[in-house]
Amino acid sequence: MEPDLTTTPINLDLAVQYGNCVEAAYTVYNNDPTNVNPPVTAYPSFIQAGYRLMFNIQMTDFDPFNKTPSYYGFIAQSLAAPYNYVVAIRGTLTWEEWYDDFDFFQTPFNSAPNGGKVARGFYKLFESLLLNDPATGTTTMKLMDTAVKPSLIFDNPGKTPVVIAGHSLGAALTTMYAAYMAAAGPNGENLSVYTFASPKVGDVTFADTYNNLVPANYRIYNKPDLVPDLPVGGFEQVGGGYEIDSKDYPEIRRSLLCYHSLLTDLYILSNKTVALSSSCVKS
């Protein structure tokens, strides 16, 4: 049965902090969609001042007409708390990515014991995520390999707090990564996950396994947004739901894109201190 979706205790300041990290990934991509390995100077000032950029994350669509890798996010180490890391992954922006998103055939999630089944499109993209070293320009390893062996990138595995955050498709990918990390290594004990507008990732078995493995999951969603209700038929949302409702804010435009916008979520969660997308300000 679906867990209670509206009563998950949440630290809103932290939700906004890590949501802003995901928004930073959108900003970097939008500023230069062709650069799969941007330097730290391409990032917003709060990333440059507060984090050490360790890796850029790239992904390759499986659309048959375009196999060009794209920038999707980053891994960074906090300068204020050097044993804290954040993994941030953006959501869908191109038509090729939408093509991938709508492959809802189910495939076994073999990355965790009793992992059930997940959407094939999400899983293919999850397997394609690679890490780029911004200093050397080299592609070093798969993101999923760092879940099996977190010592590849994280100091002091087992005691290192790791935060994974994502929006939309990125939320689905971070959910898989979190399940894999929690199942594979000791870092699962210090793992926190913040997802925004996440679709359903897998079946009820996957959701149950995820809920049992991941100690701190915050699945933030906007009530009128359609994406968290997809895919239909044989899919189940994971727990940790925290509901907001943009229809309670008359200044927010009522549209499918604005319901799904990460900036809409952050505007509400931050008590209006994060600006809305200009296209979502009701005139």
Side-chain angles (χ1 to χ4, degrees), residues 105-242:
F105 290 100
Q106 291 189 342
T107 191
F109 186 72
N110 295 322
S111 302
N114 198 31
K117 295 182 178 180
V118 294
R120 184 174 63 185
F122 297 156
Y123 195 50
K124 284 183 178 180
L125 295 176
F126 170 63
E127 291 182 309
S128 81
L129 293 171
L130 298 175
L131 301 185
N132 287 340
D133 186 329
T136 65
T138 59
T139 301
T140 57
M141 68 194 87
K142 287 189 173 183
L143 178 66
M144 64 190 304
D145 291 342
T146 69
V148 178
K149 192 175 181 182
S151 60
L152 289 171
I153 57 173
F154 302 123
D155 293 331
N156 203 11
K159 298 181 180 179
T160 299
V162 177
V163 175
I164 309 175
H167 174 250
S168 191
L169 167 62
L173 301 177
T174 55
T175 297
M176 291 184 181
Y177 183 47
Y180 200 0
M181 180 177 283
N187 266 60
E189 297 177 8
N190 294 288
L191 183 64
S192 300
V193 184
Y194 291 83
T195 62
F196 302 83
S198 179
K200 299 175 183 178
V201 176
D203 61 12
V204 65
T205 301
F206 173 84
D208 287 345
T209 296
Y210 182 89
N211 294 338
N212 289 329
L213 285 174
V214 178
N217 188 67
Y218 307 99
R219 183 178 56 80
I220 299 156
Y221 68 101
N222 188 9
K223 186 176 181 180
D225 184 11
L226 299 179
V227 171
D229 294 325
L230 298 174
V232 297
F235 288 83
E236 180 87 1
Q237 270 291 10
V238 299
Y242 185 84

